[in-house]
């Protein structure tokens, strides 16, 4: 499903807590691999989102590019979750 930003001046600082919530939703079956990849792509490519933590930037990159990194699997997400 598309992600819409309603205002031009919208800014959001993505936190570890936000990514952990995405992971939980994926692990609970509310999101699939595509949803997780799509949301991480939006965070990575949009000027509306900022990520200050380098470790979190790396995690988002890994999930937004599974074709060149690792496929998104529950085991991979659990491993990333442990390292956040």
């Amino acid at each position: 499903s598309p992600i819409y930003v309603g205002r031009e001046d919208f800014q959001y600082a993505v936190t570890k807590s936000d990514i952990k919530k995405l992971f939980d939703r994926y692990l609970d079956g509310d999101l699939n691999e595509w949803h997780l990849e799509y949301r991480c792509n939006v965070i990575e490519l949009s000027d509306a989102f900022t990520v200050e933590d380098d470790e979190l930037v790396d995690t988002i990159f890994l999930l937004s590019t599974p074709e060149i990194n690792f496929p998104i699997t529950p085991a991979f997400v659990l491993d990333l979750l442990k390292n956040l």
Side-chain angles (χ1 to χ4, degrees):
S1 61
I3 296 174
Y4 296 101
V5 177
R7 296 186 344 235
E8 261 185 52
D9 62 342
F10 175 83
Q11 288 289 303
Y12 186 82
V14 178
T15 65
K16 286 183 180 182
S17 175
D18 295 320
I19 298 303
K20 286 179 181 180
K21 287 176 188 173
L22 276 179
F23 286 175
D24 288 342
R25 291 197 57 206
Y26 168 74
L27 294 169
D28 289 343
D30 296 330
L31 300 175
N32 64 29
E33 293 80 10
W34 183 88
H35 293 121
L36 200 52
E37 178 184 349
Y38 180 80
R39 282 162 173 76
C40 286
N41 267 307
V42 168
I43 292 167
E44 189 173 53
L45 299 174
S46 174
D47 291 336
F49 298 96
T50 58
V51 183
E52 299 297 326
D53 183 281
D54 288 341
E55 182 181 359
L56 199 52
V57 169
D58 293 343
T59 299
I60 292 167
F61 176 74
L62 287 172
L63 291 169
S64 68
T65 55
E67 66 281 354
I68 62 170
N69 288 300
F70 302 96
I72 298 172
T73 64
F76 181 58
V77 170
L78 281 171
D79 191 43
L80 291 173
L81 186 57
K82 288 178 196 173
N83 293 318
L84 281 182

